[in-house]
Amino acid sequence: MKIGKLIQLQKIHDPRGNLTVAEGESQVPFSIKRAYWVYDVPGGESRGGHAHKTLKQLVIAMSGSFHVTLDNGDECETVLLNHPWEGLIIEPGTWRTLDDFSSGAVCLVLASDHYEEEDYIREYNEFIEWKRK
């Protein structure tokens, strides 16, 4: 993997049900200031389709599976997320698209900062121009 970094979170096995922990600044390599989740994505739909200028994120498939396509302006890669103990770190300046959601998929995103519209780049051509600066 060249653009995103797939990390393994601690998986604690228990006959009553497994447990995984994601602590900011230890398992997650940044302080977590925001969490949100995406679910009930209709078949054939995609999410994302933007980049962030400064925000770091950890994306986790809490249930089901989906693909994350990352683009740094020079190369692209697609990662399948399908384990709740794995997370994909997305660094600033990376265009991302999430698609191929399985039925019942839940995508959790842990973010390094609060929501700021000014941090988003929502047009791909603007993203390429911003990367070339």
Side-chain angles (χ1 to χ4, degrees):
M1 200 172 312
K2 299 173 187 168
I3 303 172
K5 180 180 178 186
L6 197 60
I7 63 170
Q8 302 292 313
L9 299 167
Q10 182 182 11
K11 181 179 179 183
I12 301 167
H13 296 277
D14 188 303
R16 301 168 297 164
N18 297 326
L19 174 80
T20 295
V21 176
E23 291 183 357
E25 300 180 40
S26 60
Q27 289 101 346
V28 179
F30 53 81
S31 176
I32 300 166
K33 293 191 179 171
R34 183 171 179 240
Y36 63 91
W37 44 100
V38 177
Y39 55 95
D40 292 342
V41 178
E45 291 296 323
S46 65
R47 297 296 309 233
H50 62 267
H52 291 281
K53 298 172 186 172
T54 62
L55 187 78
K56 295 180 183 180
Q57 295 179 314
L58 178 66
V59 179
I60 302 169
M62 298 304 292
S63 180
S65 65
F66 51 89
H67 287 96
V68 181
T69 301
L70 303 174
D71 179 343
N72 65 8
D74 294 316
E75 56 188 334
C76 295
E77 69 182 10
T78 299
V79 179
L80 171 64
L81 292 180
N82 61 351
H83 300 295
W85 62 88
E86 289 182 333
L88 179 64
I89 295 181
I90 303 178
E91 295 290 341
T94 305
W95 188 268
R96 81 284 319 274
T97 304
L98 289 70
D99 58 14
D100 296 328
F101 285 83
S102 68
S103 178
V106 178
C107 169
L108 172 67
V109 181
L110 304 177
S112 65
D113 213 339
H114 301 284
Y115 176 84
E116 286 187 39
E117 180 59 33
E118 301 79 34
D119 189 58
Y120 282 76
I121 305 172
R122 297 190 184 272
E123 297 295 329
Y124 187 77
N125 290 338
E126 291 176 23
F127 165 71
I128 294 300
E129 286 179 30
W130 180 80
K131 288 293 283 191
R132 301 293 182 239
K133 290 181 184 178

